[in-house]
Amino acid sequence: MDIPAIGDAEELSCDVLVIGGGTAGTMAALTAAEHGAGVLLLEKAHVRHSGALAMGMDGVNNAVVPGRAEPDDYVAEITRANDGIVDQSTVRQTATRGFAMVQRLESYGVKFEKDEHGEYAVRQVHRSGSYVLPMPEGKDVKKVLYRQLRRREMRERIRIENRVMPVRVLTSPEDGRAIGAVGFNTRTGAFVTVRAGAVILATGPCGRLGLPASGYLYGTYENPTNAGDGYAMAYHAGAALTGIECFQINPLIKDYNGPACAYVANPFGGYQVNRHGERFVDSDYWSGQMMAEFAAELASDRGPVYLKLSHLPEESVASLESILHTTERPTRGTFHAGRGHDYRTHDIEMHISEIGLCGGHSASGVRVDDHARTTVPRLYAAGDLASVPHNYMIGAFVFGDLAGADAAGYTAYEGELPAGQVAAAHELIYRPLRNPEGPPQPQVEYKLRRFVNDYVAPPKTGAKLSLAVAAFDRMTGEIAEMGATTAHELMRCAEVSFIRDCAEMAARSSLARTESRWGLYHERLDHPEHDDTGWLHHLDLRKSASGAMEFTARPVEPYLVPVDGFAPAGGPSRHLGEVALVPVATAGPRQSPPAGRTEGPGAPGSAPAAVERLPAERAGDASPRILELLALAEESPGLDLLRPYLDDPDPAVRAAAVAALGETVPAGAGPALADRLADGAPAVRAAAAAALRELVEVLPGGPELAAGLRAALAVPDAVVRSAALEALRALRLGGAELYAASLADADPEVRIHAVRALVSVDAVPALAAAAADPAREVRVAVAKGLAAVRDPAPAPLDPLLADADPLVRGAALGALASVGCPDGYAHTAVAALADAAWQVRAGAAAGLSAAAPEAAVPALAKALADANADVRKAAVLSLLAHRGSAEARTALATAVTDPDADVRAYAARA
């Protein structure tokens, strides 16, 4: 292709320029538009399915829901997880604004798990704090957000330019403020310039930094499209970055670039173990210290490490499969099937990911304040790009919202764009076209990221990091010689330049911090000490006027929320300048004789992603009717325009129409979807059921929808009947008599939904009648349901406490913790501590938390010697409820040396 002239650039103008159409960028665009700004959203792919969020999300890791968690407790938790180096004012924004964001997302149609009474089903995954909120339909979040962007009122203010990749932020020569950006079209190669009043960077982490163990360039833990674009653009614009030495390293499935999802499995009873089946992680929050424990176990003779699921009952395994194989990585089930693995017979072998840079999962990113402002005026950063430690998805939405609101106060820049900056960006983009036979991008990128693995990945040393800096300096020339012939190849070549910038930042930052901190994230073998006196500081880097990378040690500001063990004093920053490299040209001084080792081991005297494709991508060989429908859906049509497609004789057209209905949600969508529940084609019924589940929080529950859902209870398709019951319950459109009738359904899954619906209306007599259900999983649901009604009592549990199945008895005994455990039931629970089934013993121990201390504490103290660690864990948790008793405190003191990490950690909390 020809190199376009600078003068032929397509020039765009806006009040607010948002770069990146993922989690934070979408929210920034929506909020800025709601505040009246004219917004331009640039995305190098397509906003409909771009960013990490499009890969699916199984839950929220940091939901501070009133009544379940306190903002200050969350701020303290994140402070401890990040070894004290935190700007608490930013973390507190997520803590205090996160719940409102959950509700805002829910109003858009994002579905969060709720209990039978409509309360958020927050789970406790860590040993302190309940912050995890599951998302049953998390695979659809991006679709929901795209639907908001395409609303008519938003389209009037938000212009979306897909397939346009910015490479540099433009800054004013007069005052340094952000005034626009330069990029190109990744399909046509056209040159693009943008003038803007403010610029919001929302390009995600640098996930393509280290090389995965598989060797595949794009087989990364993070979304591989996230190549550090925003890190490099912020750096070259003069913004400060911070915490770049604090890497992101995650546990993942061995040989598969997806998380093991312990967050999801934990509430079902799954947990991490070594090859002997022992829990070993003492660290509480997901942090570098936890990863250090993980890495040590993996490297020991107790490895490999597994996510243990094979001990779970069939219903738990089936539930996990339905979640894990449809959200985070839809290819996960295919991967396990190819290995011949089944969760019922195989635990999941785990390993450690490559290194990356990510604020949302560790701490490295662009420095921002509590309104997402960077150190460059009118330049903002949000999401995984911004350094707001452990911010996760909700934090990305919160800071996207903050950035959009603040940036909306500016109007488009009207001066001349700086010619020198535009020319430099033009050269960066198009230089590979002048050398079409040059080294191809995959080879250069592989070499670059192999150096990252060799010299930058922990454990770190000054010598290896210095070799890394030399390698990255050398590769600047090799990157400049890369060849390309297409616009797509130009995009990949530009990404390699971003990765190189991030690699140099990571190496030099790791050299500058002369201590070890954050466990595995920054383990310096040559500086193994943890130095709060000298290094309770943020390490900021920026590009100096001479083009060098220079550093400043910025003290942590005094906390808003006190945290034991850390006492930042604030004070002035310490300018460090450029970092000094360790001499590595020779091994020791030149011309010196071999030296004997004086210390250390061996010295004398020393001791020995595939996201589910959307309809538009499936339409390559579709009928013209589907193509018409897809074009129509882009215009957010009313139901009258969609009705002919919903009634089309071709099932494929009807299924596509249902998908369009779920994406656009016009008035009357609910009854129309309910009508399709009775469709003659299974694919159409399944699509309608899925759409109803996805949209249940935003559909108005009128009589027409209620009638359609009630009629669907007679459809001979269990998927339809389950969806209808779920919608009736969530929309409060049914009563006890209607729900009780479904207890006679032939399908156990439908009966479980009937049980949940009966709980929502506190129909205890009908629930008690279901205690005789022939399916174990239904009786377990009944036991849990009797504990969830608003006025629980133990008597309805009587038949379940005597059930022949140990899982049912265990669930019933555990329910006593909620319904109460008076003397007669306490006697039953104490006797059950001798049951042969560990599930029964664990349930009994849990139930005794509600019994009188004199009956419960002696039995629980004995249970601390149980052979099963989950029984001992349940006993410790119940003893914590009785910690007012001296005997309980004595028993807990004996458990702090338990061989199981969970038991030790919970006992220590007393």
Side-chain angles (χ1 to χ4, degrees), residues 819-838:
V819 306
C821 190
D823 288 346
Y825 292 91
H827 177 76
T828 299
V830 169
L833 289 172
D835 196 281
W838 71 266

Side-chain angles (χ1 to χ4, degrees), residues 55 86 146 173 226 335 352 410 452 509 522 575 700 718 777 876 884:
M55 300 172 75
V86 168
Y146 187 68
N226 294 331
F335 169 79
I352 290 178
Y410 300 109
V452 171
S509 297
H522 182 66
H575 183 68
E777 58 268 36
V876 163

Side-chain angles (χ1 to χ4, degrees), residues 70-129:
E70 294 295 327
D72 284 359
D73 291 340
Y74 174 78
V75 173
E77 197 73 24
I78 298 303
T79 302
R80 285 188 289 268
N82 213 53
D83 274 358
I85 300 184
V86 168
D87 178 354
Q88 285 193 345
S89 68
T90 61
V91 177
R92 204 166 196 283
Q93 288 283 49
T94 299
T96 56
R97 293 171 174 265
F99 181 60
M101 183 55 67
V102 167
Q103 293 179 309
R104 178 176 175 179
L105 293 170
E106 195 169 48
S107 74
Y108 291 166
V110 176
K111 188 174 181 183
F112 300 95
E113 185 171 332
K114 294 184 176 180
D115 64 19
E116 293 82 358
H117 297 288
E119 303 294 331
Y120 294 100
V122 182
R123 308 283 176 81
Q124 180 171 350
V125 174
H126 304 297
R127 295 170 188 132
S128 60

Side-chain angles (χ1 to χ4, degrees), residues 632-707:
L632 178 64
E634 286 294 316
E635 303 304 317
S636 300
L639 183 59
D640 56 330
L641 295 177
L642 290 173
R643 182 71 69 185
Y645 299 94
L646 289 167
D647 296 330
D648 195 277
D650 184 350
V653 175
R654 298 200 302 277
V658 167
L661 197 63
E663 187 168 307
T664 57
V665 199
L673 288 172
D675 181 61
R676 286 300 103 197
L677 290 176
D679 195 280
V684 180
R685 296 197 301 271
L692 274 171
R693 284 192 164 104
E694 177 192 337
L695 299 172
V696 69
E697 303 292 348
V698 296
L699 292 175
E704 188 180 358
L705 176 57

Side-chain angles (χ1 to χ4, degrees), residues 740-893:
S742 290
L743 289 175
D745 196 280
D747 188 89
E749 187 66 25
V750 176
R751 301 202 298 275
I752 288 174
H753 279 286
V755 167
R756 295 197 68 202
L758 288 166
V759 172
S760 71
V761 294
D762 298 308
V764 174
L767 280 172
D773 193 279
R776 176 182 73 184
E777 58 268 36
V778 177
R779 301 199 302 279
V780 168
V782 171
K784 294 178 178 179
L786 288 169
V789 295
R790 296 194 186 280
D791 188 19
L797 289 168
D798 287 348
L800 299 168
L801 290 168
D803 198 279
D805 189 284
L807 290 184
V808 178
R809 295 201 306 280
L813 287 161
L816 293 173
S818 299
V819 306
C821 190
D823 288 346
Y825 292 91
H827 177 76
T828 299
V830 169
L833 289 172
D835 196 281
W838 71 266
Q839 295 94 335
V840 174
R841 303 198 303 276
L848 285 170
S849 66
E854 54 271 19
V857 172
L860 290 169
K862 291 180 181 178
L864 292 177
D866 197 281
N868 185 279
D870 278 344
V871 176
R872 302 199 302 275
K873 176 179 172 181
V876 163
L877 291 172
S878 287
L879 284 167
L880 286 172
H882 295 297
R883 73 179 78 187
S885 158
E887 187 179 356
R889 294 194 298 273
T890 300
L892 286 166

Side-chain angles (χ1 to χ4, degrees), residues 128-385:
S128 60
S130 297
Y131 307 118
V132 175
L133 179 56
M135 298 169 65
E137 305 295 330
K139 65 183 183 302
D140 295 323
V141 179
K142 194 64 195 292
K143 182 174 74 172
V144 172
L145 291 171
Y146 187 68
R147 184 168 67 226
Q148 292 300 311
L149 287 172
R150 302 304 296 162
R151 283 164 42 210
R152 285 190 174 86
E153 57 269 36
M154 289 294 101
R155 281 186 290 170
E156 293 174 358
R157 291 199 170 274
I158 301 173
R159 175 177 178 177
I160 298 174
E161 288 292 335
N162 292 308
R163 316 293 181 189
V164 174
M165 177 184 184
V167 299
R168 288 290 186 266
V169 171
L170 296 175
T171 57
S172 168
E174 288 79 29
D175 56 15
R177 74 181 189 271
I179 58 173
V182 180
F184 68 104
N185 189 294
T186 62
R187 288 287 173 85
T188 68
F191 191 49
V192 179
T193 60
V194 182
R195 58 179 66 247
V199 179
I200 300 173
L201 292 172
T203 57
C206 182
R208 231 162 74 215
L209 184 62
L211 190 67
S214 66
Y216 296 126
L217 290 180
Y218 308 114
T220 52
Y221 178 91
E222 283 289 351
N223 185 340
T225 64
N226 294 331
D229 309 34
Y231 285 75
M233 283 190 278
Y235 173 73
H236 289 291
L241 292 92
T242 193
I244 304 299
E245 70 280 16
C246 180
F247 298 162
Q248 177 187 212
I249 307 171
N250 293 289
L252 77 169
I253 300 173
K254 183 73 167 63
D255 298 330
Y256 178 77
N257 66 325
C261 293
Y263 274 111
V264 179
N266 184 287
F268 287 91
Y271 43 80
Q272 295 174 78
V273 295
N274 58 27
R275 71 181 178 89
H276 302 299
E278 301 161 340
R279 283 187 289 234
F280 59 87
V281 175
D282 283 301
S283 180
D284 185 21
Y285 203 83
W286 206 260
S287 61
Q289 180 55 40
M290 180 178 286
M291 286 308 305
E293 295 176 26
F294 188 100
E297 199 76 7
L298 192 64
S300 74
D301 65 348
R302 298 178 299 277
V305 168
Y306 298 88
L307 176 64
K308 186 163 186 63
L309 301 176
S310 58
H311 66 297
L312 298 177
E314 169 59 30
E315 46 267 42
S316 296
V317 172
S319 295
L320 280 169
E321 284 178 331
S322 70
I323 297 171
L324 296 181
H325 297 176
T326 59
T327 52
E328 282 271 3
R329 300 290 191 278
T331 58
R332 180 181 180 130
T334 305
F335 169 79
H336 289 311
R339 291 289 177 96
H341 292 173
D342 187 303
Y343 298 158
R344 297 156 186 80
T345 56
H346 290 74
D347 295 321
I348 301 172
E349 184 182 355
M350 300 173 69
H351 210 262
I352 290 178
S353 73
E354 68 286 344
I355 67 170
L357 303 178
C358 180
H361 291 81
S362 59
S364 51
V366 179
R367 177 182 167 186
V368 294
D369 67 8
D370 55 2
H371 287 277
R373 308 179 189 110
T374 73
T375 57
V376 170
R378 303 195 188 185
L379 180 64
Y380 300 79
D384 284 342
L385 169 69

Side-chain angles (χ1 to χ4, degrees), residues 14 164 217 273 276 334 426 442 451 476 491 513 523 581-582 597 610 638 667 701 728 796 881:
C14 60
V164 174
L217 290 180
V273 295
H276 302 299
T334 305
H426 184 276
F451 282 140
T476 302
M491 176 182 70
R513 183 176 286 277
E523 181 186 358
L581 304 183
V582 174
R597 175 176 268 177
L728 286 165

